[in-house]
Amino acid sequence: DRDYIVMDQESNETGQVEPHVVIVDVNTGRPMVGRQWSDGLHQACEAKEGVPIKRETQTVATITIQNFFKMYKRLSGMTGTADTEAQEFNDIYKLDVVAIPTNKPVVRKDNDDTVYLRQKDKWQSIVDEIKNLHDLGRPVLVGTTSVERSEMLAKMLGERHGVKHEVLNAKQHDREAHIVENAGQLGAVMIATNMAGRGTDIKLGRVDRKALLDHWLRRGIAPREASVEMTDEQLREAVYRKVAPTELGEAKREVEGVPFADLELKLLRHWAEKYTQLSDGQIRKGSAETLRKALDESGKTILHRVRWFASVEDIGGLHVIGTERHESRRIDNQLRGRSGRQGDKGSSRFYVSLEDDLMKYFGGETTQRVLASMGMKEGMPIESGFLSKRLEAAQRKVEERNFQHRKQILDYDEVMEYQRRRFYALRQRVIEGRDLRGLIFEFIEAATREAVDGSFLHASYSSHCVSELVRQKLDIVIPAGRLRKMEPEDMIERIRNDALADTKNLISVTLGEYMPLVDVDPTDPTAGGSGAEGAEPGRAVDFDASGLMRWAADRFGVELAPDELRTNNSATRAMVEERLLRAAEEKIDTTDLSGIMPILEKDYGLNELAQWAAGKFDVHIPVEELKKVDANGGHEAVIKLIVDKANAAYVEREVEMPVQIRMMMTMQQARQSPLGALTELVGWANARFKLDWKPESLMTIGGPQQVAAKLMAENRKWVEAGELEKAVKEAQALKTDGEIEAFLRDRFGAEMPDTMKFLTGQERADAVRSKVEEALRSELIQFERMILLRILDEIWREHLFAMDQLRDTINYRAYSQQDPRIEYKREGSRMFTEMMENLRERVTDLILKMEVSGGPPPAGPGPRSGGPAFGSNITGPGLGV
């Protein structure tokens, strides 16, 4: 009932109404239905409350509030409480805060905070003040910090004073509008959690004498003989004589015999003693008017001003009570600001106890000492401007701490912000279908460059391959640098020597773990030294014989008998070490390393590159051609050759695939409407190739194969002539919205999106390109978009999960004298680079191997409205569709 509530909702899985854990918005107090905490926290709360546990979700997009707002080109805002956060606005957003005067002067009275030692005294005083103001009809808004506190206060009001009230919290969210609508009426009491964030004004109501008298009669402060014809003086006397026995603790007969002037003064002195800071002497000597002014100043009761009020504002307007100070002054100011709107009367007061979290942790010992010196005791309230300043100082401490915390989060989020901008810019380009062919060939060229320069034709490629072969054969790592520029026989000899030395070191270290020896005093009979019969020096503390036996068998194939390991001493260890070394030497000497010879051949890298290109892009280049190009033009010429071959293969795809898809769609649609299918095919061909075909002219061409061949011939001419780029440049050259709109409508039958009208510069050019390509290249765009989006979304989810794990553990780097923030940036940058390389590899693995197979007829708009939905199946390795 503070951070979350349990409420009944319809389950998405079962369709039945079940209890759910629902998070409460910390800013507005409203329930956030459908939201879940991450890292298993939500499931832990569900287990605690005994409600059905939902499946854990994974965050697939995340951003800080600050970086979200920074994405806007222009940033501004307006709020009534920005002044206290002016420094943060400047530091984070580079925005200045300017205070603008209110439309009408603010006449609200903001009373000093009332401070108590104990919370129980504070809550009792809050309840009494609500009761006093409610009795006379003044509306009261009480701000609490949690559902639990609001319900506790509501229970106290009902049980102790019978005050009718409304509770507005996450559990009453559905009734919010109705509750707020009536919050400014006569005698209304509203207890609200986080009223500061609800963004609603409370209108003050009007009252008449009849409504006032009825309310006073129900609250027991007016006698039954009172009537609306009474004057203000008569009403005041009737009310005072009614409440005097209860207020003064005297018998009713005694009160009735006292002259009204004396009774009035007696009541005023009683109230002054109870609600003001006047001394006993000032109260005894003060006149009735002086006491009334002091009571006005305190604001805790209005019985001393009872009369026929003309409106709620005449009674004093809305009174706001804060049950404790919030960590942020801005939230307190927002709560106060519910009263005194547009020049209305109103007042506010905050109640604080030294047991509140804010005062307990940030109030400091100085406040405690000051209150003690002022003679404060339990149950005694103190109102002081000094105390209010101390409270503000405590709030400033918390605000500064929270600001530093937010700034630290922002520092960490800088890494993700850079990654988000790059990734979502790429993803948006894919969604818009803007120059996807260019993007794919960026990936192809980067993959080819990495394969040529960083791998197959690198000077140390053969050495790295030999090092990897040795690792697989002998399970040791020999740096490639030690194997460069060596003859095969010398290289094999060095490998065997290094392997033997590495294995000897491994055996020595591992035996030290399984058979640790300690030095003992030979003269100590209790230590097992030479002074003890049958003992040997160097006795081991612990001896993992079974573990040693398993390791020897797995690593070297040596079966050690338990009898051999009965004792753990230097002799046993030497024996075991000797057997393992003999086995290791035999394994190293007998291992077949003949596979190194092909790797050391001169054209090994070129052969591997040719196989890579065939497997990666499905292009076959003879090794001799690669060798010739490399000899004449170097690595750049080899890269260009492979990319050109991939480009030629993709051109064939651009020629064939749109026609294949259109013919497939036509054949499927012809089963239901032959003429309609032919008409749509002719419309597509005329719009793309600027032909003047008629449906009946297709009949003269021949069957489906002949029509497909004719369309492919037209498409080949269209592709090779670069008609797409010509159309894009023609559209981008147009200056006005009207020209672009006419071009799109007349040429493609497409409408210009409204959002395009607000773009300028490169963004506008990109949007025009996207719209033209969508019309002229729709089939391939949807094919490419499907592949790219599926891979993009999958690797991004994996990357976000990995970054979450890194963020959770990075602070441990501080133990090794490393700055966690710097390490997080370094590791995050490395992981993002690996993610982009993974994206490139997965896209280039698939993009030239995909094929179109038969599928259901597509749904969606026709060719005149931007192209059909991609309705065919795409098949290929690793895609899973």
Side-chain angles (χ1 to χ4, degrees):
D1 287 338
R2 186 186 67 189
D3 302 306
Y4 66 91
I5 58 174
V6 178
M7 61 187 295
D8 290 334
Q9 283 184 295
E10 185 175 336
S11 174
N12 293 331
E13 299 176 358
T14 65
Q16 299 177 346
V17 176
E18 298 175 345
H20 284 67
V21 168
V22 179
I23 303 171
V24 174
D25 191 334
V26 68
N27 294 312
T28 66
R30 294 188 177 106
M32 298 194 290
V33 177
R35 298 279 292 276
Q36 282 188 231
W37 286 305
S38 57
D39 302 321
L41 177 59
H42 205 88
Q43 287 68 31
C45 291
E46 288 171 331
K48 168 181 174 286
E49 300 296 341
V51 304
I53 297 177
K54 295 192 290 291
R55 184 183 295 112
E56 186 173 359
T57 57
Q58 183 193 350
T59 302
V60 295
T62 176
I63 191 170
T64 60
I65 293 292
Q66 294 93 329
N67 282 324
F68 174 75
F69 284 129
K70 282 181 177 180
M71 292 175 68
Y72 287 93
K73 293 180 180 178
R74 297 181 180 87
L75 195 62
S76 66
M78 182 166 64
T79 173
T81 53
D83 201 37
T84 58
E85 313 298 331
Q87 187 62 44
E88 183 167 354
F89 278 114
N90 187 270
D91 292 346
I92 302 297
Y93 307 107
K94 309 300 180 193
L95 288 176
D96 292 328
V97 174
V98 178
I100 300 174
T102 55
N103 177 40
K104 295 181 180 179
V106 177
V107 296
R108 181 187 67 245
K109 180 186 177 185
D110 295 324
N111 296 287
D112 289 332
D113 297 351
T114 302
V115 183
Y116 287 87
L117 283 176
R118 300 286 175 259
Q119 277 199 5
K120 61 182 181 64
D121 298 324
K122 178 187 77 171
W123 288 107
Q124 182 58 56
S125 184
I126 290 171
V127 169
D128 290 342
E129 181 167 340
I130 295 171
K131 186 259 183 189
N132 291 336
L133 298 179
H134 171 72
D135 281 350
L136 210 61
R138 188 172 178 189
V140 180
L141 166 64
V142 187
T144 61
T145 56
S146 69
V147 176
E148 179 186 17
R149 294 284 172 83
S150 67
E151 292 182 343
M152 180 196 74
L153 182 59
K155 185 177 179 182
M156 291 176 66
L157 276 175
E159 290 180 352
R160 297 189 183 185
H161 300 299
V163 174
K164 186 179 178 182
H165 57 273
E166 290 279 7
V167 179
L168 177 57
N169 55 34
K171 294 181 178 181
Q172 305 291 332
H173 171 63
D174 295 338
R175 299 181 57 243
E176 178 177 346
H178 173 71
I179 294 173
V180 173
E181 179 186 14
N182 298 311
Q185 302 304 313
L186 178 69
V189 175
M190 180 169 72
I191 304 169
T193 56
N194 298 80
M195 187 63 194
R198 295 185 181 269
T200 51
D201 274 358
I202 296 175
K203 291 185 66 177
L204 301 182
R206 295 183 177 182
V207 296
D208 54 31
R209 291 192 175 191
K210 184 178 179 181
L212 269 174
L213 184 57
D214 182 60
H215 176 75
W216 290 339
L217 288 172
R218 280 188 281 108
R219 292 305 302 164
I221 66 168
R224 293 196 176 276
E225 58 271 16
S227 65
V228 294
E229 287 80 16
M230 285 183 171
T231 63
D232 287 343
E233 290 75 12
Q234 291 171 335
L235 175 67
R236 185 163 62 251
E237 181 175 351
V239 170
Y240 280 13
R241 291 195 180 277
K242 173 67 176 177
V243 301
T246 305
E247 291 287 332
L248 300 176
E250 297 179 358
K252 186 177 181 181
R253 287 193 300 271
E254 296 178 5
V255 171
E256 290 175 351
V258 178
F260 177 64
D262 295 340
L263 179 63
E264 182 181 24
L265 189 57
K266 197 172 184 180
L267 279 171
L268 290 173
R269 286 172 178 170
H270 170 74
W271 289 329
E273 184 179 355
K274 188 175 180 180
Y275 299 122
T276 71
Q277 301 290 321
L278 296 178
S279 65
D280 293 342
Q282 290 173 321
I283 292 174
R284 284 196 308 270
K285 297 177 182 178
S287 64
E289 191 56 35
T290 302
L291 295 175
R292 281 197 179 92
K293 289 181 180 179
L295 288 168
D296 287 341
E297 195 67 27
S298 76
K300 292 188 175 182
T301 182
I302 46 178
L303 271 173
H304 63 286
R305 294 292 187 185
V306 64
R307 55 186 170 83
W308 293 115
F309 299 108
S311 64
V312 169
E313 185 176 4
D314 194 19
I315 304 175
L318 180 67
H319 181 64
V320 173
I321 296 178
T323 55
E324 60 185 270
R325 281 286 191 171
H326 196 274
E327 287 185 352
S328 170
R329 290 171 294 158
R330 184 178 62 84
I331 302 299
D332 290 343
N333 291 341
Q334 284 184 332
L335 178 60
R336 271 196 168 125
R338 298 294 138 197
S339 173
R341 312 289 282 188
Q342 291 293 320
D344 290 344
K345 288 183 180 179
S347 59
S348 68
R349 185 192 313 278
F350 280 85
Y351 282 85
V352 180
S353 84
L354 297 188
E355 293 179 337
D356 293 346
D357 291 341
L358 179 70
M359 297 303 296
K360 193 185 301 180
Y361 299 134
F362 300 98
E365 296 180 0
T366 304
T367 306
Q368 297 271 10
R369 289 197 300 269
V370 169
L371 293 177
S373 66
M374 297 172 69
M376 185 175 184
K377 298 178 182 177
E378 191 169 327
M380 178 187 299
I382 288 185
E383 296 180 18
S384 164
F386 167 77
L387 280 178
S388 296
K389 290 178 182 178
R390 291 296 305 170
L391 287 168
E392 285 199 7
Q395 287 177 302
R396 287 193 187 96
K397 286 183 185 178
V398 184
E399 289 170 352
E400 180 64 25
R401 183 200 64 174
N402 292 341
F403 173 52
Q404 292 302 326
H405 180 63
R406 290 193 293 271
K407 204 169 183 182
Q408 185 181 23
I409 291 176
L410 198 59
D411 288 341
Y412 276 104
D413 196 55
E414 280 181 6
V415 180
M416 285 302 298
E417 175 63 10
Y418 167 76
Q419 297 177 6
R420 275 192 297 266
R421 286 182 181 275
R422 282 195 59 189
F423 177 82
Y424 284 115
L426 176 62
R427 193 175 188 276
Q428 188 65 26
R429 176 178 175 180
V430 173
I431 289 173
E432 293 172 1
R434 176 172 19 99
D435 193 20
L436 296 189
R437 188 182 191 281
L439 176 63
I440 288 167
F441 272 89
E442 287 176 21
F443 289 163
I444 290 175
E445 183 175 352
T448 305
R449 188 172 298 279
E450 175 62 25
V452 172
D453 290 339
S455 185
F456 300 113
L457 300 189
H458 194 275
S460 61
Y461 177 65
S462 296
S463 302
H464 281 287
C465 291
V466 172
S467 178
E468 177 61 20
L469 179 66
V470 170
R471 188 190 65 79
Q472 294 175 5
K473 294 279 189 178
L474 298 174
D475 200 16
I476 64 167
V477 177
I478 298 179
R482 286 180 56 79
L483 305 176
R484 289 187 62 186
K485 298 181 180 179
M486 296 184 70
E487 293 299 324
E489 294 79 8
D490 296 336
M491 182 182 290
I492 291 175
E493 183 179 357
R494 170 167 289 182
I495 288 170
R496 296 191 191 279
N497 291 336
D498 285 2
L500 184 58
D502 189 74
T503 304
K504 284 181 178 179
N505 183 60
L506 174 66
I507 291 172
S508 177
V509 171
T510 306
L511 284 178
E513 295 175 356
Y514 283 113
M515 304 178 70
L517 298 176
V518 295
D519 294 329
V520 296
D521 185 359
T523 63
D524 183 2
T526 64
S530 60
E533 184 178 356
E536 297 181 36
R539 178 176 55 82
V541 178
D542 284 316
F543 179 28
D544 185 5
S546 60
L548 177 59
M549 291 166 64
R550 284 194 302 270
W551 176 74
D554 294 341
R555 179 78 185 193
F556 300 106
V558 175
E559 297 293 340
L560 296 175
D563 291 344
E564 295 178 282
L565 304 176
R566 182 173 297 167
T567 58
N568 180 15
N569 51 38
S570 300
T572 304
R573 179 168 174 169
M575 180 272 295
V576 173
E577 188 170 3
E578 184 180 354
R579 286 192 61 184
L580 294 176
L581 282 173
R582 283 202 308 269
E585 288 177 6
E586 183 180 354
K587 180 181 178 181
I588 291 171
D589 290 340
T590 58
T591 298
D592 181 15
L593 296 177
S594 60
I596 292 175
M597 299 304 179
I599 296 175
L600 298 179
E601 292 181 2
K602 185 177 180 182
D603 295 335
Y604 177 75
L606 288 170
N607 278 293
E608 292 294 303
L609 179 60
Q611 293 180 27
W612 174 85
K616 189 82 168 175
F617 306 130
D618 202 20
V619 297
H620 302 276
I621 308 173
V623 176
E624 292 302 319
E625 185 178 357
L626 285 174
K627 187 176 180 180
K628 181 179 178 181
V629 170
D630 186 36
N632 294 332
H635 291 184
E636 287 297 326
V638 174
I639 293 170
K640 185 176 185 304
L641 173 64
I642 296 174
V643 172
D644 287 346
K645 292 282 188 181
N647 184 53
Y650 209 79
V651 167
E652 289 302 312
R653 181 178 295 274
E654 289 191 278
V655 169
E656 296 173 1
M657 185 174 286
V659 176
Q660 289 175 352
I661 293 172
R662 284 291 168 179
M663 288 301 297
M664 189 183 306
M665 292 164 51
T666 301
M667 297 295 290
Q668 291 169 347
Q669 292 172 4
R671 297 171 187 170
Q672 298 177 351
S673 174
L675 182 60
L678 290 177
T679 302
E680 187 169 339
L681 180 62
V682 166
W684 172 79
N686 291 343
R688 175 169 290 196
F689 308 130
K690 300 180 181 178
L691 302 174
D692 193 22
W693 286 5
K694 300 275 189 301
E696 53 270 16
S697 63
L698 288 183
M699 306 295 185
T700 62
I701 296 176
Q705 293 182 350
Q706 289 76 18
V707 172
K710 180 68 174 174
L711 288 173
M712 283 188 186
E714 294 292 340
N715 197 27
R716 186 179 298 278
K717 289 190 293 184
W718 187 82
V719 170
E720 291 176 352
E723 293 295 337
L724 175 64
E725 281 301 314
K726 291 178 183 177
V728 169
K729 290 179 180 177
E730 182 182 354
Q732 289 177 337
L734 301 174
K735 301 298 183 182
T736 66
D737 292 340
E739 291 174 341
I740 296 176
E741 194 166 10
F743 176 85
L744 294 174
R745 187 187 306 109
D746 297 342
R747 183 78 180 272
F748 313 118
E751 295 298 326
M752 178 180 177
D754 290 336
T755 52
M756 192 186 295
K757 300 175 183 178
F758 299 98
L759 301 178
T760 58
Q762 187 60 42
E763 288 183 342
R764 185 182 179 90
D766 288 344
V768 170
R769 169 179 285 277
S770 175
K771 199 64 183 174
V772 173
E773 287 189 345
E774 182 185 350
L776 294 179
R777 198 174 176 269
S778 60
E779 299 85 7
L780 274 169
I781 281 178
Q782 294 180 61
F783 162 77
E784 294 160 346
R785 181 188 289 146
M786 184 193 70
I787 296 173
L788 286 166
L789 282 181
R790 182 163 299 187
I791 297 174
L792 277 169
D793 292 349
E794 185 176 336
I795 66 169
W796 183 243
R797 284 196 299 269
E798 294 170 356
H799 179 69
L800 282 180
F801 181 77
M803 289 297 290
D804 285 343
Q805 301 302 307
L806 176 65
R807 180 70 180 86
D808 289 341
T809 58
I810 198 67
N811 286 326
Y812 292 117
R813 303 284 180 97
Y815 291 113
S816 59
Q817 307 301 314
Q818 294 175 314
D819 188 334
R821 282 182 292 183
I822 294 175
E823 291 301 308
Y824 181 72
K825 290 178 181 179
R826 182 182 293 119
E827 288 290 322
S829 177
R830 178 188 62 79
M831 291 166 61
F832 183 73
T833 301
E834 290 178 355
M835 184 201 77
M836 296 302 291
E837 290 174 355
N838 183 25
L839 167 67
R840 182 189 69 202
E841 292 302 314
R842 291 175 65 174
V843 170
T844 52
D845 278 345
L846 292 174
I847 198 68
L848 286 170
K849 299 176 186 175
M850 309 303 293
E851 297 177 356
V852 180
S853 65
R864 302 295 290 174
S865 57
F870 193 83
S872 304
N873 293 330
I874 305 300
T875 61
L879 192 65
V881 294

